[in-house]
Amino acid sequence: MPRTAATPASTTPRGCTSFKLRQLTRCVASRYDAELAAAGLKTTQYSLLSHVLALGPIAPGELARAMTMDASTLTRNLKPLLAAGWVVMQPGADGRSRRVELTPAGREKRAEAQRRWRAAQEGLQTTLGLERTAALHALLDDALARLDPAAPGTSEAADAR
């Protein structure tokens, strides 16, 4: 944004917004990754288990849309969960459709991982402070709504439950 008479130098953003967001994302993700690794999961796997728990049984295409990922990425991310027996692919309403569903072992793994996720969440809130964390959430929600008004609401409920 070019500086004008109405934009004092002290409020003009410095640096690359994309780079700063990537730095923050890597820093935050590493905290969650470390906690979830103790449960034997990657963050993406925990998110997938959480979404299937909240939305399932669900068709793979619907799940991919809910998680804003393409079908091939979803298929690749589901493979280790299927192999571990945490999710199953059940037949759908007709012979061509399928439904993804958590198994009892998947529910247990997700519950174990949720405790680790909560530890990461609380650790981040302790480090940043509740007020700053809430302000960050509000800023991120507002930025997402402005940048992609067609985007569905955040699916944080699936991760937090």
Side-chain angles (χ1 to χ4, degrees):
M1 172 172 87
R3 194 168 19 153
T4 65
T7 310
S10 63
T11 60
T12 301
R14 297 196 58 181
C16 175
T17 302
S18 179
F19 179 71
K20 287 178 180 289
L21 284 170
R22 284 194 319 270
Q23 276 185 307
L24 178 61
T25 300
R26 282 191 299 268
C27 183
V28 170
S30 70
R31 291 170 178 254
Y32 284 85
D33 289 341
E35 281 292 340
L36 289 168
L41 289 175
K42 296 179 180 178
T43 306
T44 53
Q45 294 169 326
Y46 172 67
S47 183
L48 232 167
L49 289 175
S50 296
H51 277 81
V52 174
L53 177 66
L55 305 172
I58 185 170
E62 292 174 30
L63 180 58
R65 280 187 292 282
M67 296 185 71
T68 60
M69 66 173 56
D70 61 65
S72 64
T73 301
L74 176 67
T75 299
R76 191 170 48 255
N77 288 338
L78 275 174
K79 281 182 183 180
L81 302 181
L82 288 161
W86 298 328
V87 297
V88 291
M89 198 71 73
Q90 301 285 3
D94 60 44
R96 297 179 304 158
S97 64
R98 299 171 299 153
R99 315 272 302 157
V100 181
E101 187 173 352
L102 279 185
T103 65
R107 288 178 185 276
E108 287 178 27
K109 178 54 70 174
R110 199 274 177 188
E112 175 191 352
Q114 183 187 29
R115 290 187 292 277
R116 306 308 302 188
W117 174 88
R118 190 167 282 122
Q121 182 79 2
E122 290 171 0
L124 194 63
Q125 288 174 354
T126 298
T127 300
L128 294 177
L130 288 176
E131 187 176 307
R132 187 171 277 128
T133 303
L136 178 61
H137 283 221
L139 180 60
L140 293 171
D141 289 344
D142 180 63
L144 286 168
R146 289 170 183 258
L147 293 170
D148 191 0
T154 62
S155 56
E156 64 187 275
D159 285 340
R161 291 188 186 156

